[in-house]
Amino acid sequence: MRTPVHLLTLSLLSPWAWAQDASSAADLFRDHIQPLFKKSCLSCHNAGSKQGGLDLSTREGMLRGSEHGPVVTLGKPDESQLYKMVAHVTEPGMPFKGKKLPYTDIARIAEWIKTGAEYGEPAADPEGVNLTEVRKHWAFRTPVRPPVPATKLNPIDAFLEAARTQHGLAAAPPAGRAILLRRVFIDLTGLPPTPAEIAAFTANDDPKAYAKIVDDLLARKSYGERWGRHWLDIWRYSDWYGSRNINQIRYSQRHIWRWRDWTVEALQQNKPYDRMIQEMLAGDEIAPNDPSVTRATGYLARNWYRFNRNVWLGDIVEYTSAGFLGLTLKCARCHAHKYDPIPQADYYRFRAFFEPHEVRTDRVQGQADIMKDGLPRVYDADDSRPTYRFIRGNEDNPDTATPLQPAVPRLFGKPA
């Protein structure tokens, strides 16, 4: 009768490993198992992501096992799924789709299980995110205002002049007044100046003529429409769609144009960008009875989906993070992010902000029939709704043992 490969490995290598290292079980975990878990296991099997339902960041989590049952039988490595997977005796071999661990590491895991699988001190970061390291990346550093180069030019031109000098580039000649006027018209309104406007500007020798043109353009409705279109593309504006034959909305909301108009007007009013974000995400909390504010929550109402609330909330998480954080969270719905330091639990903590809300249409003055006109908006329907992490992103398999509270991804928190 052939000896199973994993038992042969255990019998041959385990004594060798202990001959080299006769330290206690606690030392074995601290010196070998914990670093091994951190390097090869915790990125997927931590308190946040729990791939397969398994959390190896604590002894309690490990002993609780995975969605398929226990993974460790104390004292019996040959009966423990954890050992058999790292030894590639059973599939899938671990690390998943990775190179098999060295035999010495496999033997140490076997000996560790055999001696009781003690943990000692918990891992420093149970969700496998090293924020100190990731904040070294340029995209996650706090912006620092550089000093303006010494010059008589305005600050923007001062930096351009410094860069030109550094790289030995020749400066282009100043733009003519007609070209300058066309550029500012196109940039602010998307429309070219008329021949009469060009003639008036080129003949105007007032030193403040350009500044007056800028102020005039910023006050025009065409400015709000031009830049409103830019932001509404980012924020995914669209009218409702579904089955027109039966007048059934499946995505978005009727009268969502009210949010579009709010965007245009906010730009024309020079509303601060941070205030715009606050009104779009929480206008129902800021001024629940003020239609001029609550219509901004059309941003959230736009993501409504008739047939599946989880699809609806998934779109809110994805497009809110992409539109306002410049970072996609979509991958973390099913697993810890593979590049950016976003644990799966952070995705659901972010979702928890939006868990209570629903969408409704309020009546507007002069129209009782909300089918003909109305104001689509969000409101908090049930603030007791819990948020659970979906194991592997499967909405039919929520981790109901661990409700998650609202929080922004830890990446965006203040450094310790």
Side-chain angles (χ1 to χ4, degrees):
M1 181 177 176
R2 296 179 61 188
T3 303
V5 174
H6 70 284
L7 293 181
L8 181 62
T9 302
L10 175 62
S11 63
L12 291 177
L13 292 179
S14 184
W16 180 89
W18 280 100
Q20 300 298 314
D21 184 0
S23 57
S24 67
D27 291 340
L28 174 63
F29 176 78
R30 184 194 65 233
D31 297 339
H32 299 291
I33 305 301
Q34 188 176 44
L36 176 62
F37 277 6
K38 186 174 182 180
K39 177 182 178 181
S40 303
C41 307
L42 287 180
S43 61
C44 294
H45 300 292
N46 57 67
S49 56
K50 292 185 184 177
Q51 293 296 300
L54 178 61
D55 173 15
L56 292 177
S57 64
T58 66
R59 189 172 189 268
E60 292 73 19
M62 179 193 68
L63 294 178
R64 194 179 299 122
S66 73
E67 59 192 55
H68 303 294
V71 298
V72 167
T73 301
L74 296 179
K76 299 179 179 180
D78 56 306
E79 296 180 12
S80 300
Q81 281 296 322
L82 175 64
Y83 170 74
K84 289 191 284 186
M85 284 184 170
V86 297
H88 286 211
V89 173
T90 59
E91 295 295 334
M94 293 292 165
F96 185 62
K97 293 185 177 180
K99 186 177 180 181
K100 185 178 178 180
L101 296 177
Y103 286 115
T104 52
D105 287 340
I106 296 172
R108 284 181 175 126
I109 289 174
E111 193 66 37
W112 174 66
I113 294 173
K114 191 174 183 179
T115 57
E118 292 299 330
Y119 261 64
E121 294 297 322
D125 190 340
E127 293 190 359
V129 176
N130 189 334
L131 294 180
T132 301
E133 283 301 312
V134 78
R135 285 195 175 105
K136 295 178 182 178
H137 190 285
W138 69 265
F140 303 123
R141 295 177 188 169
T142 301
V144 177
R145 185 183 296 275
V148 178
T151 177
K152 295 181 179 180
L153 301 171
N154 67 58
I156 294 176
D157 288 340
F159 283 106
L160 294 175
E161 178 67 15
R164 184 189 68 78
T165 302
Q166 178 183 355
H167 296 287
L169 301 175
R177 289 177 70 81
I179 294 176
L180 185 63
L181 186 69
R182 181 180 176 83
R183 287 176 180 173
V184 73
F185 260 78
I186 295 295
D187 184 51
L188 295 183
T189 70
L191 302 170
T194 65
E197 288 170 324
I198 294 174
F201 182 66
T202 54
N204 191 343
D205 58 2
D206 182 353
K208 295 183 179 179
Y210 183 78
K212 291 177 180 179
I213 286 289
V214 171
D215 289 340
D216 172 62
L217 294 176
L218 291 174
R220 294 187 186 187
K221 185 178 180 180
S222 55
Y223 163 72
E225 292 171 341
R226 184 261 189 272
W227 283 100
R229 179 177 179 178
H230 167 78
W231 287 110
L232 288 167
D233 281 347
I234 293 174
W235 298 330
R236 300 180 68 249
Y237 171 81
S238 74
D239 291 326
W240 73 269
Y241 56 104
S243 178
R244 298 280 176 174
N245 293 333
I246 58 176
N247 201 23
Q248 182 189 70
I249 298 177
R250 297 177 180 176
Y251 296 89
S252 190
Q253 291 289 299
R254 287 186 177 88
H255 322 305
I256 202 69
W257 56 266
R258 291 188 175 275
W259 165 46
R260 176 200 66 198
D261 286 4
W262 170 89
T263 302
V264 172
E265 293 167 18
L267 290 168
Q268 289 180 279
Q269 296 164 5
N270 198 27
K271 183 172 290 189
Y273 179 67
D274 60 344
R275 177 67 184 193
M276 292 176 69
I277 296 175
Q278 291 168 18
E279 291 187 8
M280 282 191 286
L281 297 181
D284 59 310
E285 299 286 346
I286 295 171
N289 299 315
D290 184 352
S292 69
V293 175
T294 55
R295 62 183 177 149
T297 65
Y299 165 75
L300 297 174
R302 160 39 193 119
N303 291 287
W304 182 84
Y305 176 55
R306 179 183 182 87
F307 301 113
N308 189 318
R309 181 177 174 82
N310 289 316
V311 170
W312 167 21
L313 292 183
D315 281 350
I316 287 177
V317 170
E318 168 65 3
Y319 297 115
T320 297
S321 65
F324 299 125
L325 300 179
L327 185 72
T328 177
L329 298 186
K330 190 172 185 177
C331 295
R333 178 180 182 274
C334 301
H335 54 74
H337 208 286
K338 297 300 184 184
Y339 180 77
D340 297 312
I342 307 293
Q344 190 187 22
D346 276 9
Y347 173 96
Y348 290 94
R349 293 186 185 107
F350 194 73
R351 166 180 162 146
F353 284 114
F354 308 102
E355 201 75 57
H357 85 263
E358 293 284 354
V359 174
R360 73 178 190 226
T361 300
D362 288 352
R363 291 188 177 93
V364 295
Q365 187 174 5
Q367 180 56 263
D369 187 352
I370 60 174
M371 296 289 286
K372 295 180 179 179
D373 197 1
L375 191 156
R377 55 165 293 185
V378 301
Y379 68 100
D380 281 340
D382 183 2
D383 60 8
S384 66
R385 284 176 179 158
T387 296
Y388 301 120
R389 182 184 63 84
F390 296 157
I391 297 173
R392 294 187 180 179
N394 182 359
E395 63 186 70
D396 295 324
N397 191 15
D399 181 8
T400 56
T402 313
L404 297 171
Q405 298 302 310
V408 297
R410 289 183 297 152
L411 170 63
F412 294 97
K414 294 181 179 180

